[in-house]
């Protein structure tokens, strides 16, 4: 600033001296004044011209590239440029933060809608559009009430009671595909609102299944209990002969056995639900598993045949090439799945029928199947057979000691071992239930010695 003042005074002095000493038609003092005037005017015009260039640069929005200028304006331009660059960097950083923040909200499994004080949509994420049908672009600044035309939601908005969530039907709700969405509003700031939505369809379905399960279990237990109570009351109130008492006790024992089987199956299911997946590195001798399955099946056949006076042909085929193998997983679970399949085959095959148990190794899996020549199953029942308590013929299942949980256990076991249950059946011709284990769970015995 001082340098500029000195520069200004120096030029004026020069103008003064030139006007004073250089001969011209005017007097010396008039010449000096003219010299000062010309110098001042020139400086004024130069400054005006440079200021105009500066203004043009400021207006150009190209503040990062200053025009070549010196002096006060040059320094101002430089400072302005640096300030602008710094603000630009700050803006880019905060834009990046905002972008990251919005993409985090986009990734949320919950729907998020930001609403202004008048319930206009300010911003919404993709999940909100899936849940509530809001288009994040087209519906911006629309009233949410116009888009969500749901009486429950309208009443909720009017009530002003946002401590609780409400449940409404989702955008994709159909009679064959229900979709339930939980919605809650959270007021914030100066009257703005945050609306969160959550898909609770699976939760609701699980709750319905849980209720059905409890109802089924209660029903299954109540039936034998009622029969038992009936016998107890009869024995208490009537004078019975020894033979009658023996008969009653036999019937009571059957009912108690039925309850015991049901409780055992329920415990097996709860164990399967709650325990870690079977090991993939614990190998068991397949020959001995096969042998114990054979003994178990034989024992079961004798018990059932004796009880019902029936007779079956039981055949066990273990191909020679599959001997000296090992299987990995839980022995107890595999045996329980196997026993359930053999028990079903025996119970749903009339006397004289044949049950064949076999195994073979395919390219993709190792299979273990139980085939019978029994009643068979018509196709419409096949998809539901593994549901808990699903039975085609309730009385036949009960009469033969079934609980309706056997195939649910089998499916659970094979899924826990990474495989799946295949069911083939033809009404009146018999059925074949196959457990497909992944090949990684089956190996030759010698492999173990090489690998260890
Ligand atoms: P349950 O204890 O009633 O046998 P499961 O879950 O084991 O229950 O089987 C479900 C239903 O599938 C049975 O009630 C029966 O109707 C049918 N089922 C199972 N195995 C066979 C089979 N081998 N042959 C014919 N029907 C079968």
């Amino acid at each position: 600033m001082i340098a500029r003042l000195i520069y200004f005074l120096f030029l004026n002095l020069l103008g003064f001296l030139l006007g004073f000493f250089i001969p011209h038609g005017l007097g010396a003092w008039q010449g000096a004044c003219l010299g000062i005037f010309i110098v001042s005017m020139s400086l004024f015009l130069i400054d005006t011209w440079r200021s105009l260039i500066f203004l043009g640069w400021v207006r150009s929005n190209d503040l990062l590239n200053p025009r070549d200028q010196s002096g006060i304006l040059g320094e101002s331009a430089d400072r302005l440029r640096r300030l602008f660059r710094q603000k630009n960097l700050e803006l880019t950083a905060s834009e990046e933060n905002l972008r990251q923040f919005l993409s985090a909200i986009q990734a949320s499994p919950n729907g998020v809608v930001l609403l202004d004080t008048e319930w206009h949509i300010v911003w919404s994420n993709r999940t909100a559009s899936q849940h509530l049908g809001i288009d994040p672009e087209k519906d911006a600044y629309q009233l949410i009430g116009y888009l969500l035309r749901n009486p429950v939601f309208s009443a909720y908005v009017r009530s002003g009671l946002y401590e609780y969530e409400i449940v409404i039907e989702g955008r994709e709700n159909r009679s064959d595909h229900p979709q339930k969405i939980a919605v809650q509003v959270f007021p914030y700031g100066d009257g703005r609102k945050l609306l969160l939505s959550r898909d609770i369809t699976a939760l609701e379905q699980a709750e319905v299944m849980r209720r059905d399960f409890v109802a089924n279990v209660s029903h299954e237990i109540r039936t034998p209990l009622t029969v038992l109570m009936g016998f107890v009351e009869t024995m208490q109130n009537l004078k019975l002969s020894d033979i009658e008492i023996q008969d009653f006790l036999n019937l009571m024992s059957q009912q108690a056995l039925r309850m015991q089987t049901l409780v055992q199956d329920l415990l097996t299911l709860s164990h399967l639900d709650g325990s870690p997946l079977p090991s993939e590195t614990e190998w068991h001798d397949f020959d001995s598993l096969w042998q114990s399955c054979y003994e178990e099946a034989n024992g079961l056949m004798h018990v059932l045949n004796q009880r019902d006076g029936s007779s079956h042909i039981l055949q066990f085929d273990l191909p020679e090439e599959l001997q000296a193998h090992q299987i990995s997983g839980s022995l107890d679970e595999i045996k329980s799945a196997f026993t359930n399949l053999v028990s079903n085959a025996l119970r749903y095959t009339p006397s004289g029928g044949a049950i064949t148990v076999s195994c073979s190794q395919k390219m993709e899996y190792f299979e273990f199947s139980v085939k019978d020549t029994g009643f068979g199953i018509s196709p419409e029942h096949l998809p539901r057979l593994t549901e808990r308590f699903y039975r085609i013929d309730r009385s036949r299942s009960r009469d033969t000691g079934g609980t309706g949980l056997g195939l649910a256990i089998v499916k659970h076991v094979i899924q826990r071992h990474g495989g799946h249950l295949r069911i083939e059946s033809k009404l009146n011709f018999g059925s074949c239930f196959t457990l497909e284990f992944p090949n990684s769970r089956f190996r030759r015995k010698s492999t173990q010695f090489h690998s260890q």
Side-chain angles (χ1 to χ4, degrees):
M1 189 68 194
I2 291 173
R4 181 147 180 85
L5 194 63
I6 293 171
Y7 172 71
F8 177 76
L9 290 175
F10 171 75
L11 286 183
N12 271 303
L13 182 65
L14 198 68
F16 173 85
L17 291 174
L18 288 175
F20 194 84
F21 291 112
I22 290 178
H24 43 67
L26 300 169
W29 285 104
Q30 283 159 331
C33 288
L34 186 66
I36 290 173
F37 177 75
I38 290 173
V39 167
S40 299
M41 274 313 287
S42 309
L43 285 175
F44 171 73
L45 287 174
I46 290 169
D47 273 0
T48 308
W49 176 65
R50 292 184 65 202
S51 300
L52 285 174
I53 292 178
F54 182 78
L55 188 65
W57 170 67
V58 171
R59 282 179 179 160
S60 72
N61 278 337
D62 187 21
L63 295 186
L64 284 176
N65 298 310
R67 308 282 146 78
D68 205 12
Q69 280 202 328
S70 56
I72 293 177
L73 287 178
E75 191 183 329
S76 307
D78 193 42
R79 284 180 184 277
L80 208 59
R81 182 181 57 82
R82 269 190 267 164
L83 188 71
F84 185 70
R85 196 168 57 187
Q86 193 193 337
K87 291 288 164 209
N88 235 0
L89 287 175
E90 281 173 15
L91 188 71
T92 315
S94 65
E95 268 175 5
E96 177 60 19
N97 281 345
L98 183 67
R99 208 180 56 76
Q100 297 279 357
F101 180 69
L102 290 181
S103 14
I105 303 182
Q106 282 292 16
S108 161
N110 291 340
V112 180
V113 185
L114 299 182
L115 299 160
D116 69 7
T117 50
E118 304 297 318
W119 296 87
H120 291 112
I121 298 168
V122 177
W123 186 87
S124 61
N125 69 352
R126 276 191 295 271
T127 317
S129 81
Q130 283 160 16
H131 289 173
L132 310 169
I134 295 173
D135 187 317
E137 265 121 50
K138 272 199 234 144
D139 296 335
Y141 301 102
Q142 290 267 14
L143 269 177
I144 188 145
Y146 284 156
L147 299 167
L148 258 182
R149 291 184 178 276
N150 183 301
V152 180
F153 181 71
S154 309
Y156 179 63
V157 168
R158 278 196 307 274
S159 74
L161 300 170
Y162 308 132
E163 293 85 13
Y164 305 102
E165 60 183 22
I166 50 160
V167 178
I168 58 174
E169 272 103 38
R171 187 178 72 131
E172 287 159 11
N173 185 62
R174 287 191 307 272
S175 55
D176 58 333
H177 176 271
Q179 190 194 28
K180 297 275 178 223
I181 304 292
V183 171
Q184 190 167 7
V185 168
F186 298 89
Y188 73 98
D190 46 358
R192 290 163 181 272
K193 282 121 199 144
L194 169 72
L195 183 146
L196 295 184
S197 64
R198 226 161 25 98
D199 192 332
I200 54 162
T201 314
L203 263 174
E204 291 252 315
Q205 274 168 356
E207 178 57 20
V208 170
M209 273 169 68
R210 192 192 62 77
R211 277 201 298 266
D212 285 355
F213 185 70
V214 172
N216 273 322
V217 170
S218 314
H219 178 77
E220 293 295 327
I221 288 179
R222 200 182 51 198
T223 315
L225 254 183
T226 315
V227 180
L228 263 177
M229 286 306 296
F231 285 133
V232 170
E233 271 173 32
T234 315
M235 287 174 82
Q236 279 171 337
N237 298 330
L238 293 180
K239 198 122 186 80
L240 300 169
S241 68
D242 283 354
I243 297 175
E244 281 172 328
I245 291 179
Q246 201 48 52
D247 283 350
F248 271 41
L249 286 176
N250 283 343
L251 291 169
M252 285 164 78
S253 132
Q254 272 174 24
Q255 296 304 320
L257 194 72
R258 200 173 132 192
M259 282 203 291
Q260 194 185 30
T261 318
L262 177 68
V263 170
Q264 252 162 15
D265 278 358
L266 286 172
L267 285 174
T268 307
L269 269 180
S270 117
H271 173 80
L272 292 175
D273 279 337
S275 56
L277 289 179
S279 156
E280 286 188 53
T281 50
E282 212 178 293
W283 291 92
H284 311 281
D285 201 344
F286 188 66
D287 293 348
S288 30
L289 172 70
W290 187 258
Q291 185 58 28
S292 76
C293 285
Y294 172 69
E295 281 159 17
E296 192 128 358
N298 228 357
L300 204 64
M301 185 175 74
H302 279 112
V303 171
L304 289 177
N305 285 356
Q306 248 180 2
R307 193 189 68 188
D308 308 335
S310 56
S311 84
H312 290 101
I313 304 154
L314 181 65
Q315 210 180 332
F316 257 69
D317 288 340
L318 176 62
E320 220 176 291
E321 69 273 15
L322 292 185
Q323 289 166 8
H325 270 71
Q326 289 181 313
I327 189 162
S328 80
S330 159
L331 267 190
D332 286 346
E333 289 183 20
I334 298 174
K335 272 196 215 165
S336 127
F338 170 80
T339 315
N340 270 303
L341 290 183
V342 172
S343 153
N344 281 353
L346 287 165
R347 289 188 297 116
Y348 300 110
T349 301
S351 185
I355 287 106
T356 311
V357 182
S358 61
C359 62
S360 64
Q361 189 155 25
K362 308 274 181 227
M363 281 292 278
E364 301 85 23
Y365 51 83
F366 159 74
E367 67 173 35
F368 196 88
S369 52
V370 178
K371 192 169 181 222
D372 64 56
T373 55
F375 302 119
I377 303 159
S378 57
E380 72 271 18
H381 293 293
L382 292 178
R384 298 197 59 192
L385 277 191
T386 53
E387 282 176 23
R388 294 175 185 193
F389 295 111
Y390 187 82
R391 286 180 275 214
I392 300 169
D393 184 337
R394 250 166 208 282
S395 59
R396 183 182 282 165
S397 161
R398 285 223 188 90
D399 293 348
T400 56
T403 59
L405 295 174
L407 290 181
I409 293 175
V410 174
K411 186 178 175 189
H412 216 334
V413 167
I414 191 66
Q415 281 183 340
R416 280 166 57 79
H417 284 79
H420 88 271
L421 170 68
R422 197 173 75 230
I423 308 175
E424 290 144 306
S425 189
K426 202 168 172 202
L427 196 60
N428 301 325
F429 283 93
S431 317
C432 182
F433 289 77
T434 306
L435 298 175
E436 293 178 358
F437 287 90
N439 269 336
S440 57
R441 285 199 177 267
F442 198 68
R443 69 177 187 189
R444 281 196 81 79
K445 234 185 225 173
S446 52
T447 330
Q448 180 198 20
F449 303 125
H450 288 140
S451 64
Q452 281 176 357

